[in-house]
Amino acid sequence: MALNDNDRSIAGFTMAGHALVHWFETSIPIFLVVWLAEFDVGVALFGLIVALGYAPFGLGALPGGILADRYGTKRLILCCLAGMSAAFLVLSLATSIYAIAVGLVLWGVAASIYHPAGLALISTGVDERGTVFAWHGIAGNAGIALGPFVAATLLIFLEWQLVAALLAVPGFLAVVYGLTASFDPTAAVEDGVDAGPDEALSLSELVSNSRALFASAFAIIFVIVTFEGLYYRGMLTYLPEILHDLEAVAGLAIPEGLEGIDPGHYIYVGLLVVGMAGQYAGGKLTDRVEPARGMTVIFAVLAVLALAFVPVTGMGLLAITVLCGVFGFFLFAIQPFYQNAVAVYTPADSRGLSYGYTYLGEFGLGSASIAIGGFVLGGFSLAAFFALIAGFGLAGMVLSAALLAGLDRFVDSDRPVDADANADD
């Protein structure tokens, strides 16, 4: 069915927002490689600093959702876009690691608003939610791939400060576009239901609904998603630096005139592009495979892939590239499964709160692996780092298997699953 004008307007606005959140997010690890060379500090300290930026990205998801209910989704998304862009301007002016820390924290706070506000806007304003969620996901994956690609390419020719400033430009353009966009944010809500601003949960309702959620199977889902976040954030943050230092990658002959190219950056971008196919495949499989079963299998694969990185690094550039491609596929293939698990194991009337907590675990608590991973890389071997990451995958596998084994105890089989709630990162 074709989208109506309101659906198209909301789709364009949220696709721009989703793409830019991940545009900024995945460019940061590319800058990390430059910052480690620019400033005389160890990887452990820089890992802690980057973690301080990523942590608010998740920790602010829950209050971000409440603020969106209180002040309106469009207003919050515009604040998110303006705040992220301003944060990258702060980074462009940084002359110390402390200024970088300030810029990253500002980015994390601003970025935390998007997911709860953007998904809420689609859920209340769009009639064809499934179609718009699909395009919304495609836009997010495009941002995931384009952010590091553009950053890596510009860094060949320009200083990192100017690159950071240039990356902020699309964000400001999106603000201008958003200010001109016209749509009804509650067009899909039934008559008589007030879904506009000023309808935020009271403190007592928030506490009671949260208590009910965590007294159910959602408690296990939350921990599973947190371990997925620990795996995801740790690997994607340090993989550009790890690839940069590998002999097979660093020793690659670069044609004359292109000496500034870092092949590791482009392997990393390729991994993210392959991830788009993984997320699509995972999304299609959620219609056929129980979420707990799918998560069990994919977590097991991710654990094996993490352990395979060290032996494969000695097998040459082709083997490294293939492994990264397979890793990217499965890293993103798991996301539709845990998103669907939230829909399966939570009631519809607390779905927004459920996704708020989901992103708190994924992006907030998951960012702890940046600090932990930096400590391990700085003080121990590369093998120890990948063993740590594999441990996160194994923990997720065990918890997913436990959820699968206790399916009859946790799920009300008479409750229908809302497929439209299967939103993406």
Side-chain angles (χ1 to χ4, degrees), residues 298-342:
I298 297 178
F299 267 124
V301 172
L302 288 174
V304 171
L305 290 174
L307 292 175
F309 262 89
V310 171
V312 168
T313 56
M315 298 180 184
L317 182 64
L318 178 61
I320 294 170
T321 304
V322 170
L323 177 62
C324 285
V326 175
F327 164 72
F329 181 91
F330 284 99
L331 181 67
F332 288 93
I334 198 171
Q335 293 182 356
F337 282 100
Y338 74 69
Q339 292 153 5
N340 190 43
V342 176

Side-chain angles (χ1 to χ4, degrees), residues 83-170:
M84 291 190 301
S85 303
F88 262 62
L89 288 184
V90 171
L91 287 177
S92 72
L93 300 174
T95 57
S96 70
I97 60 170
Y98 305 106
I100 288 174
V102 170
L104 290 176
V105 169
L106 290 175
W107 173 83
V109 171
S112 71
I113 299 170
Y114 179 74
H115 283 96
L119 295 179
L121 174 57
I122 294 172
S123 69
T124 60
V126 171
D127 290 322
E128 296 297 318
R129 284 185 294 170
T131 300
V132 174
F133 272 138
W135 285 105
H136 183 261
I138 290 171
N141 280 284
I144 285 173
L146 285 174
F149 174 80
V150 173
T153 302
L154 291 178
L155 285 169
I156 298 172
F157 309 103
L158 304 172
E159 295 294 326
W160 69 265
Q161 293 91 342
L162 181 56
V163 174
L166 289 174
L167 290 179
V169 172

